[in-house]
Amino acid sequence: MPSAPPASLTALLAGPDRPGLVAHTANWIFERGGNILHADQHRDGDANVFFQRVEWVPAAKHDPAAEAAAFQDYAAQKLGMTARVMASTARPRVAIFASKAGHCFHDLILRFRSGEMRGELACVIANHDDLALSAEHYGLRFFLIPVSPKNKAAVEKRQLKILREQGIGLVVLARYMQILSPEFLAQCGVPIINIHHSFLPAFAGAKPYHQAHARGVKIIGATAHYVTPILDDGPIIAQDVSHVSHRHDVDDLQRFGRDLEKVVLAQAVRWHLENRIIVNGNKTMVFD
Amino acid sequence: MPSAPPASLTALLAGPDRPGLVAHTANWIFERGGNILHADQHRDGDANVFFQRVEWVPAAKHDPAAEAAAFQDYAAQKLGMTARVMASTARPRVAIFASKAGHCFHDLILRFRSGEMRGELACVIANHDDLALSAEHYGLRFFLIPVSPKNKAAVEKRQLKILREQGIGLVVLARYMQILSPEFLAQCGVPIINIHHSFLPAFAGAKPYHQAHARGVKIIGATAHYVTPILDDGPIIAQDVSHVSHRHDVDDLQRFGRDLEKVVLAQAVRWHLENRIIVNGNKTMVFD
Amino acid sequence: MPSAPPASLTALLAGPDRPGLVAHTANWIFERGGNILHADQHRDGDANVFFQRVEWVPAAKHDPAAEAAAFQDYAAQKLGMTARVMASTARPRVAIFASKAGHCFHDLILRFRSGEMRGELACVIANHDDLALSAEHYGLRFFLIPVSPKNKAAVEKRQLKILREQGIGLVVLARYMQILSPEFLAQCGVPIINIHHSFLPAFAGAKPYHQAHARGVKIIGATAHYVTPILDDGPIIAQDVSHVSHRHDVDDLQRFGRDLEKVVLAQAVRWHLENRIIVNGNKTMVFD
Amino acid sequence: MPSAPPASLTALLAGPDRPGLVAHTANWIFERGGNILHADQHRDGDANVFFQRVEWVPAAKHDPAAEAAAFQDYAAQKLGMTARVMASTARPRVAIFASKAGHCFHDLILRFRSGEMRGELACVIANHDDLALSAEHYGLRFFLIPVSPKNKAAVEKRQLKILREQGIGLVVLARYMQILSPEFLAQCGVPIINIHHSFLPAFAGAKPYHQAHARGVKIIGATAHYVTPILDDGPIIAQDVSHVSHRHDVDDLQRFGRDLEKVVLAQAVRWHLENRIIVNGNKTMVFD
């Protein structure tokens, strides 16, 4: 294992397109002694919007946090752009929402433990206790909050309180199976990534593997997306598929699907934590 | 190149499930001196229906056509099953319906010419003349039948006449871009395979690549299916997909899509001509 | 969840090809009141060998174990074929050999716990203690047997003793990283499945991801195979691949590779435990 | 179809890494009134080399050819880097080398005709006449130059003469099946792209599908690479794969392989003509 690379800053920029934006940001970084590691950009020609992801190592003499703030100021005041800057050493705190199914739950946690993810698992919030013992083994706080049609508002209030107390920066719905209310989404204040067990926009809603089997498709899929108030309609981050045939029953589709869900959800979470995703309307740009 | 294998018969059977069906068909073939090359079966447990594809070399003393008829009789009278039997030497005549786009048109024809397909290309029916010269080069009859909202009924009448006169056994819509009327479908009498340029059931209808781009999906697809009176809803035969990203515009999606469409349509046509597909309700079984 | 299907028997047959084999086995099953669920066969034309996998529900009046033995006798004496028959209720005991890396270890165990696998995890044998606590959490016996160049023979002797005492029917090398001696293989007596972290036959031997990176390939892979005395040369069971680019360093390849290794190894183990694999020379037939 | 985008220039830069390179090139372009459309870069950390692909629209007042030359000068003199600059309007002349097999030949030509490729097909050089009539239909010059062990030197001399006379900028070996001598490669002076019908480095050399079938692999592939004096060892540009099983014989592998070869070769040729590939030692960077 080589020595760790120096801490870097990654900025995601978005704003009205105009000539010289690449030069301006590169110059700012160069003149302050920084060294660009990666830079990637995209233009939405229809909307005339420019997007960039740039990663650089700031000069050792600058404090990274101050440098990040300085870049944000520069982007806002001189370029008219919003910038989200994150240090490579940052480890946002992540909450997993789960229910009974354990495949995404275990997969995510094992990836965090193996160092694949630039985040820190803070806690698990679940409406069933099936995964409580495992969470304990992993050393994770486990909040059991059963949900019924009657107590939904109280449940969400308690969930929001936990998110705030735990200082959560990202919520991951690891097959949580409950629809979050628009009120929850409005007050949550941090991004929420969900895994839907179909190849969206096909088979939105409930029981997608049953829908897929009934339709006789030859490929099934899974979709990770940011959650918005419209069910299964948020910006798509990652998708993957498996070939199936008439020989496979719904159980088989679910088994294949679990493997897809694990990989697709983990990829989306990793990209988010590495500050690689910009949401543009109802679409994402992933600078991978 | 080794010597050609002996001519074989392939039966597709369907009917109510009951014990002994595998034994009965295998015995019938064995007792008449035949040798089974492949056998595959499937049960639809919900509907209690049994399906089988069996391929065998009949004894040399039997005429293959008579043997095929005898098997059909046996299946109907002793097993209560329908059987579609086809000789490996049969070469159904195929009509291609095309419009302006040439990619599936050329791809299909080149595959027939290279010997990949167990069929004989009979003619091309097109509503534009863009592909007329190429059809001529390939030595294929080309029927130019322009379509307008007003003449649709007359056009379909003429198309049906050509199909009958040419002894067509399979129609392939190679990006024909016109919707065939329920009347045409009712009178056509032969299967029709269409290629839809999306991953059905997502993005049915017109301009699927535009729909896919607008939705921001990360994977696009193509779907080959049998045509039924409900648009883009027929039994799916084959599907394939490509990964895409925000970097790809609609033109890119269309270019990737052309490669998908060619491969998926060719696969569906090949499977059909090799008597590998049974339609069960709105789903297919492909015995590949 | 529907009620469990009745117990079935699955036979893997292999022997000289001759007419009527499909009929003979189907008849034997039918006449004893059994009902065939699936049957699949393959001919190796060059070697004139016939292979079949047939799964059936025996009549309730017959003891499944006796029926399995009767089928084996019939195949051997009347058809001249070897048959390996396994009941769907059988749960072979499985030993995992591991080292430091945990990804395949956790993945396999979680799949056994979720009911995906028709086997019973018996124990873990490891040459490092990194996974000891996890094994304990999973309730698995963990045998720590450190390996050095000097103690290899003694180590293998002890491993073989454990396999016998534990009644192991399958050994899975979950990134064990040690080469098993020909003596071990000769005395082991049960199949061993290994996961190799490359797309064999490319990059056999050590550090395949480094080899792949140095060669500049655009796709990496993983291969599950039965272990034979020749390193990385045994019959291939399953393979899968991921696209990579110049942007990915060796660490990235290893990360992608871990996901491939987990899925490919699990698939091979599942197929083996469902009695779906026949080894024919240095190749496998997988009746999936 | 929207109006054509303005002509752009694309530069591929390579040279020793040092701070400020992104800023320097972006500034040069900005200060001369250009507008960057895309920019992508890569560092080879081991060798401390920096690579960049940058595409920009030069100011209307500048002649694109002069601007390209000016950029090359700037890169060489101020940055110590080599730059290969190409206008989006350039259409390098391409020669196809073919033999008997037509699949890559037809596929490439149809793609050039459909406008997918930024190049101009100049001629076909073949050692058999199987494709002569088709070349004529496509309106392409066809040079029939039979090859025997005795006349190889004379053949290559004639081929080189044609390449020079035709002003060829890229040679594509579309299943040419002949090994080009080191002398030919030394004198050719333009890049040569070959399609190898295996997943290199597995199964280099002759009859790869036979090798793959004999080894019992579960995935086959195709590889497009630049030709170097070492057989099948040049820098890999693109690869793709298909899953296969024991049911597929060598003919099936060849059929699947043809589809892979077409797509992989076309992709490599397209990337080359769009100035997206930098060769770095024996590896490629593809800025797609």
Side-chain angles (χ1 to χ4, degrees):
Chain A
M1 189 72 69
S3 63
S8 63
L9 295 173
T10 301
L12 292 176
L13 286 131
D17 191 21
R18 60 178 201 185
L21 289 175
V22 174
H24 294 328
T25 54
N27 278 335
W28 188 92
I29 292 166
F30 177 56
E31 285 167 4
R32 296 177 65 89
N35 194 21
I36 292 179
L37 299 179
H38 301 284
D40 195 358
Q41 58 274 325
H42 182 68
R43 265 182 185 70
D44 184 330
D46 298 333
N48 203 38
V49 184
F50 175 87
F51 303 95
Q52 190 181 33
R53 181 183 190 266
V54 58
E55 181 176 359
W56 76 99
V57 179
K61 64 184 172 187
H62 293 305
D63 170 65
E67 201 69 357
F71 185 87
Q72 256 162 334
D73 281 353
Y74 169 74
Q77 290 168 19
K78 301 290 179 180
L79 306 179
M81 306 187 84
T82 60
R84 193 167 82 224
V85 189
M86 204 169 116
S88 63
T89 50
R91 291 292 175 274
R93 286 172 64 79
V94 177
I96 294 179
F97 278 43
S99 183
K100 295 179 173 181
H103 55 287
C104 287
F105 165 87
H106 288 293
D107 183 76
L108 273 177
I109 295 172
L110 290 167
R111 289 176 194 272
F112 273 89
R113 281 158 59 105
S114 75
E116 257 184 42
M117 298 287 188
R118 281 201 196 162
E120 184 188 351
L121 274 185
C123 63
V124 177
I125 297 178
N127 59 337
H128 291 279
D129 66 358
D130 303 58
L131 303 171
L133 276 180
S134 292
E136 185 187 339
H137 165 67
Y138 290 128
L140 283 174
R141 284 202 63 172
F142 185 88
F143 296 97
L144 175 62
I145 314 182
V147 180
S148 72
K150 287 186 184 167
N151 72 352
K152 187 137 190 176
V155 161
E156 293 195 338
K157 202 169 163 188
R158 196 172 151 212
Q159 291 171 333
L160 289 167
K161 186 159 175 285
I162 294 169
L163 298 183
R164 274 192 302 271
E165 289 174 355
Q166 293 282 331
I168 298 302
L170 173 69
V171 172
V172 180
L173 307 186
R175 300 296 310 275
Y176 176 53
M177 310 303 283
Q178 298 288 322
I179 298 173
L180 299 170
S181 74
E183 293 71 36
F184 181 96
L185 300 178
Q187 295 172 42
C188 178
V190 301
I192 306 173
I193 295 177
N194 182 47
I195 180 72
H196 185 77
H197 40 317
S198 90
F199 184 80
L200 288 176
F203 310 129
K207 289 191 175 286
Y209 294 124
H210 290 78
Q211 292 184 56
H213 191 256
R215 181 61 186 90
V217 291
K218 302 301 186 185
I219 294 179
I220 60 165
T223 303
H225 64 94
Y226 287 114
V227 174
T228 60
I230 302 175
L231 181 65
D232 297 336
D233 188 58
I236 294 172
I237 304 169
Q239 301 188 290
D240 206 357
V241 294
S242 281
H243 286 261
V244 297
S245 82
H246 67 274
R247 291 184 186 87
H248 301 115
D249 58 22
V250 171
D251 282 353
D252 294 321
L253 302 195
Q254 289 175 330
R255 177 164 55 79
F256 298 154
R258 286 195 296 269
D259 280 346
L260 292 174
E261 293 161 32
K262 289 187 289 190
V263 170
V264 169
L265 180 59
Q267 192 175 51
V269 171
R270 184 186 310 114
W271 281 337
H272 179 89
L273 292 173
E274 295 177 356
N275 213 25
R276 295 186 181 279
I277 311 176
I278 300 182
V279 173
N280 178 23
N282 203 36
K283 300 162 67 168
T284 63
M285 280 158 289
V286 178
F287 295 101
D288 61 332
Chain B
M1 192 71 71
S3 64
S8 63
L9 295 173
T10 301
L12 292 176
L13 286 131
D17 191 21
R18 60 178 201 185
L21 288 174
V22 173
H24 293 328
T25 55
N27 278 334
W28 188 92
I29 291 167
F30 176 56
E31 285 167 4
R32 296 177 65 89
N35 193 22
I36 293 178
L37 298 179
H38 301 285
D40 195 358
Q41 58 274 326
H42 182 68
R43 267 182 183 68
D44 184 331
D46 298 332
N48 204 37
V49 184
F50 175 86
F51 303 94
Q52 191 182 33
R53 182 183 188 265
V54 57
E55 181 176 358
W56 76 98
V57 179
K61 64 184 173 187
H62 292 306
D63 171 63
E67 201 69 357
F71 185 88
Q72 258 163 333
D73 281 354
Y74 169 75
Q77 289 168 19
K78 301 288 180 182
L79 307 179
M81 305 187 85
T82 60
R84 193 168 83 224
V85 189
M86 206 169 113
S88 63
T89 51
R91 291 291 176 273
R93 287 172 63 79
V94 176
I96 293 178
F97 279 42
S99 183
K100 294 179 173 181
H103 56 287
C104 286
F105 165 87
H106 288 293
D107 183 75
L108 273 177
I109 295 172
L110 289 167
R111 289 177 194 272
F112 274 90
R113 282 158 59 106
S114 75
E116 257 185 41
M117 297 286 188
R118 282 201 194 163
E120 183 188 351
L121 274 186
C123 63
V124 177
I125 296 178
N127 60 336
H128 290 281
D129 66 358
D130 303 59
L131 303 170
L133 277 179
S134 292
E136 185 186 338
H137 165 66
Y138 290 128
L140 283 174
R141 286 203 62 173
F142 185 89
F143 296 96
L144 175 62
I145 314 183
V147 179
S148 73
K150 287 186 184 167
N151 73 351
K152 188 138 189 174
V155 160
E156 291 196 338
K157 203 170 163 188
R158 198 172 149 213
Q159 290 171 334
L160 288 167
K161 187 159 175 284
I162 294 169
L163 298 184
R164 275 192 301 271
E165 288 173 356
Q166 293 281 330
I168 298 303
L170 174 68
V171 171
V172 180
L173 307 185
R175 298 297 310 274
Y176 177 53
M177 310 303 283
Q178 298 288 323
I179 298 174
L180 300 170
S181 74
E183 294 72 33
F184 181 96
L185 299 178
Q187 294 172 44
C188 179
V190 300
I192 305 173
I193 295 176
N194 182 47
I195 181 73
H196 184 78
H197 41 316
S198 90
F199 184 79
L200 288 175
F203 311 128
K207 291 193 174 287
Y209 294 125
H210 290 77
Q211 292 184 55
H213 191 254
R215 181 62 185 91
V217 291
K218 302 301 186 186
I219 293 180
I220 59 165
T223 304
H225 64 94
Y226 288 114
V227 175
T228 60
I230 301 175
L231 182 65
D232 297 336
D233 189 57
I236 293 172
I237 304 169
Q239 301 188 291
D240 207 357
V241 295
S242 280
H243 286 261
V244 297
S245 83
H246 67 273
R247 292 184 186 86
H248 301 114
D249 59 22
V250 172
D251 283 353
D252 293 322
L253 303 195
Q254 289 175 331
R255 177 163 56 78
F256 298 154
R258 286 196 296 268
D259 279 345
L260 292 174
E261 294 163 30
K262 288 187 289 190
V263 170
V264 169
L265 179 59
Q267 192 175 49
V269 170
R270 184 186 310 114
W271 281 336
H272 180 89
L273 292 173
E274 295 177 355
N275 213 25
R276 293 187 182 278
I277 310 175
I278 301 182
V279 173
N280 177 25
N282 202 36
K283 299 162 70 169
T284 63
M285 280 158 289
V286 178
F287 295 101
D288 61 332
Chain C
M1 190 73 70
S3 64
S8 63
L9 295 173
T10 301
L12 292 175
L13 286 131
D17 191 20
R18 60 177 200 185
L21 289 174
V22 174
H24 294 328
T25 55
N27 278 334
W28 188 92
I29 291 166
F30 176 56
E31 286 168 4
R32 296 176 66 89
N35 194 22
I36 293 178
L37 298 180
H38 300 286
D40 195 357
Q41 58 274 326
H42 182 68
R43 267 183 184 69
D44 183 331
D46 299 332
N48 203 37
V49 184
F50 176 86
F51 303 94
Q52 190 180 35
R53 181 182 189 267
V54 57
E55 180 176 0
W56 76 98
V57 179
K61 64 185 173 187
H62 294 304
D63 170 64
E67 201 69 357
F71 185 88
Q72 257 163 333
D73 282 353
Y74 169 74
Q77 291 169 19
K78 301 290 179 180
L79 306 179
M81 305 187 84
T82 60
R84 192 168 83 224
V85 189
M86 204 169 116
S88 63
T89 50
R91 290 292 176 274
R93 286 171 65 77
V94 177
I96 293 179
F97 279 42
S99 183
K100 294 179 174 183
H103 55 287
C104 287
F105 164 87
H106 288 293
D107 183 76
L108 273 176
I109 295 172
L110 289 167
R111 289 176 194 272
F112 274 89
R113 282 159 57 107
S114 75
E116 259 185 41
M117 298 286 189
R118 282 201 196 164
E120 183 188 351
L121 274 185
C123 64
V124 177
I125 297 177
N127 59 338
H128 291 280
D129 65 359
D130 303 58
L131 303 171
L133 276 179
S134 292
E136 184 186 341
H137 166 66
Y138 290 128
L140 284 173
R141 285 202 63 172
F142 184 88
F143 297 96
L144 174 63
I145 314 182
V147 179
S148 72
K150 288 186 183 167
N151 72 352
K152 187 137 190 177
V155 161
E156 292 195 339
K157 203 169 162 186
R158 197 174 149 212
Q159 291 170 333
L160 288 168
K161 186 158 175 285
I162 294 169
L163 298 184
R164 274 191 302 270
E165 288 173 356
Q166 293 281 331
I168 298 302
L170 173 68
V171 172
V172 180
L173 307 184
R175 300 297 309 276
Y176 177 53
M177 310 303 283
Q178 298 288 324
I179 298 173
L180 300 170
S181 74
E183 293 72 34
F184 181 96
L185 300 179
Q187 294 173 42
C188 179
V190 300
I192 305 172
I193 295 177
N194 182 46
I195 181 73
H196 184 78
H197 41 316
S198 89
F199 185 80
L200 289 175
F203 311 128
K207 290 192 174 284
Y209 294 124
H210 289 78
Q211 292 184 54
H213 190 254
R215 180 62 185 92
V217 292
K218 301 302 186 183
I219 293 179
I220 60 165
T223 304
H225 63 95
Y226 287 115
V227 175
T228 61
I230 302 175
L231 182 65
D232 296 336
D233 188 58
I236 293 171
I237 304 169
Q239 301 188 291
D240 206 356
V241 294
S242 281
H243 286 261
V244 297
S245 83
H246 67 273
R247 291 184 186 86
H248 301 115
D249 58 21
V250 172
D251 282 353
D252 293 322
L253 303 195
Q254 289 175 330
R255 177 164 55 78
F256 299 155
R258 286 196 295 268
D259 279 345
L260 292 174
E261 294 162 31
K262 289 187 288 189
V263 170
V264 169
L265 179 57
Q267 191 175 49
V269 171
R270 184 186 310 115
W271 282 337
H272 180 88
L273 292 173
E274 295 176 357
N275 213 25
R276 294 186 180 279
I277 311 176
I278 301 181
V279 173
N280 178 24
N282 203 35
K283 299 162 69 168
T284 63
M285 280 159 289
V286 178
F287 295 102
D288 62 332
Chain D
M1 191 73 70
S3 66
S8 63
L9 295 173
T10 301
L12 293 176
L13 286 131
D17 191 20
R18 59 177 201 184
L21 289 175
V22 174
H24 294 327
T25 55
N27 278 335
W28 188 91
I29 291 166
F30 176 57
E31 286 167 4
R32 296 177 66 89
N35 194 21
I36 293 178
L37 298 180
H38 300 284
D40 196 358
Q41 58 274 325
H42 182 68
R43 265 183 185 69
D44 183 331
D46 299 332
N48 203 36
V49 184
F50 176 86
F51 303 95
Q52 190 182 33
R53 181 183 190 266
V54 58
E55 180 176 0
W56 76 99
V57 179
K61 63 184 173 188
H62 293 305
D63 170 64
E67 201 69 357
F71 185 87
Q72 257 162 334
D73 281 353
Y74 169 74
Q77 290 169 18
K78 301 290 179 181
L79 307 179
M81 306 188 83
T82 60
R84 193 167 83 223
V85 189
M86 205 169 115
S88 63
T89 51
R91 291 292 177 274
R93 287 172 63 77
V94 177
I96 294 178
F97 279 42
S99 183
K100 294 179 174 183
H103 56 286
C104 286
F105 164 88
H106 287 293
D107 183 75
L108 273 177
I109 294 172
L110 289 167
R111 288 176 193 272
F112 274 89
R113 282 159 57 106
S114 75
E116 257 184 42
M117 298 286 189
R118 282 201 196 162
E120 183 188 352
L121 274 185
C123 64
V124 177
I125 296 178
N127 60 336
H128 291 281
D129 66 358
D130 303 58
L131 302 171
L133 277 179
S134 291
E136 185 185 338
H137 165 67
Y138 290 128
L140 282 174
R141 286 203 63 173
F142 185 89
F143 297 96
L144 174 62
I145 314 183
V147 179
S148 72
K150 287 185 183 168
N151 73 351
K152 186 135 189 177
V155 160
E156 292 195 339
K157 202 170 164 186
R158 197 173 150 214
Q159 290 170 335
L160 288 167
K161 187 159 176 284
I162 293 169
L163 298 183
R164 275 191 301 271
E165 288 174 356
Q166 293 281 330
I168 297 302
L170 174 68
V171 172
V172 180
L173 307 185
R175 299 297 309 277
Y176 177 53
M177 310 304 283
Q178 298 287 323
I179 298 173
L180 299 171
S181 75
E183 293 73 33
F184 181 96
L185 299 178
Q187 294 172 43
C188 179
V190 300
I192 305 173
I193 295 177
N194 182 48
I195 180 74
H196 185 78
H197 41 316
S198 89
F199 184 80
L200 288 175
F203 311 128
K207 289 191 175 287
Y209 293 125
H210 290 78
Q211 292 184 57
H213 190 255
R215 181 61 185 90
V217 291
K218 302 302 186 185
I219 293 181
I220 59 166
T223 304
H225 63 94
Y226 288 114
V227 175
T228 60
I230 302 175
L231 181 65
D232 297 336
D233 189 56
I236 293 172
I237 305 169
Q239 302 189 291
D240 206 358
V241 295
S242 281
H243 286 260
V244 297
S245 82
H246 67 274
R247 292 184 185 86
H248 300 116
D249 58 23
V250 172
D251 282 353
D252 293 321
L253 302 196
Q254 289 175 330
R255 177 164 55 79
F256 298 154
R258 285 195 296 269
D259 279 345
L260 292 173
E261 294 162 30
K262 289 187 288 190
V263 169
V264 169
L265 179 58
Q267 192 175 50
V269 171
R270 184 186 310 115
W271 280 337
H272 180 89
L273 293 172
E274 295 176 356
N275 213 26
R276 293 187 181 279
I277 311 175
I278 301 182
V279 173
N280 177 24
N282 202 36
K283 299 162 68 169
T284 63
M285 280 157 289
V286 178
F287 295 102
D288 61 333

